[in-house]
Amino acid sequence: MKKQKIYFFLCIAALFLSGISCNSTEDDVISYTVSESVRVSGFSLAANDSVLAHLDTIFFTIDLNKGQIYNADSLPVGTDVSALIANISFDNVAQAKIYMDKGDPTKNDTIDYIANPTDSIDFTSKVSLEVTAQNGTTVKWYSVKVNVHQIDPDSLYWNTMFGVRPLPCGSQATVDAQKAVYYKGKVQSFIVSNSTCTLYTAEDPYTDDWTSQPLSLSFTPDLKSLQATDEALYMLSQTGELYRSENGVDWASTGQTFYSLVGTWKSRLLGVVSENGVYKHDCYPRPAGFVPYPTAANFPITGSSPMVTFVSEYDLDSPQSIMVGGRMADDNLTGATWGYDGEAWAQLQGSIKPCEGAILFPYFTFTTSEYWITTQYTSWIVIGGREAAGVADSVYVSVNNGNTWSKAPQSLAMPTYINPRAFASVMVVDADFTSRSAASLWKFMPIRRVPAMLVARTSDYQIPYIYIFGGENNSGDIYNEIWRGAIGRLRYPPIP
């Protein structure tokens, strides 16, 4: 009986082993697919403090579709990129070669990156990366660029003395008075020459496409008083009578008189009247129930900067206007900042050196951290004016709507070839980016070496240019000039 059990179990074991043997066929051999990937999954530069602090934190864009690798935020002016080590990640590729085209076949160089990943790369040359997949046939090429600023990106650059334009009356005209404003999408330049007042209009103030219209005025204009609201233009006569126009050509008296006009708020004109030797705030048109009321003793009754209106992102329904400097009722200069919110005037904390006829405009300034994070600020910039010692080229910046002012850094200073001036007109007008504006207008500009929009520009990018019209010297003579400027990083060509 025991022998039968032994034979039985031996038979079962033999059948089991036989089954295993029968199921082990060639179909069960594991196969592998050779990768076709040529993807670059990561790119950065190795740390090198002798070149630039935190070099390894620079962000690089990898465009797999276009085969482009680049840093959209360029490195500072003068950064040496002739011998940098790159950290490149791939998806198990078979080969990666870096080619440096230096424009001379005898100097060109090639690096086998897989074998020598720590070899330095000369990014001043044209660098290409060839990636070959594991299958040995799939190949992809990438262009690799380390962009470096050619100018200090945070400097305010102006066209050179060779590129200054005359006022629209022409360089040969004698200018007795001038004032320019931006109204209904056009630049309106009023110029008195040889006792004739002419209106020049253009959409782009830096072209020669001005249309002119001599004005037949029934009054002698005080061009310095010219103001533009949302709905109309206003100007005083030499005797203080207020005139209004909707097209700049046809002017009609409002029947109201002012001592001076100080600015605008939406469609409201703001000014000062003199009643029995008392200076009072007034406006046109007067809201229901409004009665002129005395100005503060330290309020500038004449000579303040242009008044500029802005809207806070926290209160879109309540625009505010600010102005800086001017001359007070006691004939002393002030550097105070005053604001108006549609209901009342208030003096802000910010102040500059006392002056009259300074220009004020909103613009952008930038700061860059040690880790190359750039922050854009909406800023207010004040330039020039007549101080007690004469006209000045001072520049002040505020990033908190005039509550504090600071002397501008050297990067925002006015160039020596632009004469100091007071009572100039200023406006910021967008212009389309063109390769010509990048190549011709700016190529002679001096680069300011100073201590230490971060997105690629599209072809339809618009540059916010600052335009300065005219202005007076110490003798009161008017400069027959139009200057144009912009912060460096706002006028970069598209990358790449």
Side-chain angles (χ1 to χ4, degrees), residues 98 137 231 407 419 447:
I98 295 173
T137 57
E231 299 177 353
K407 271 276 194 180
N419 293 316
I447 296 175

Side-chain angles (χ1 to χ4, degrees), residues 234 333 496:
Y234 293 92
L333 295 173

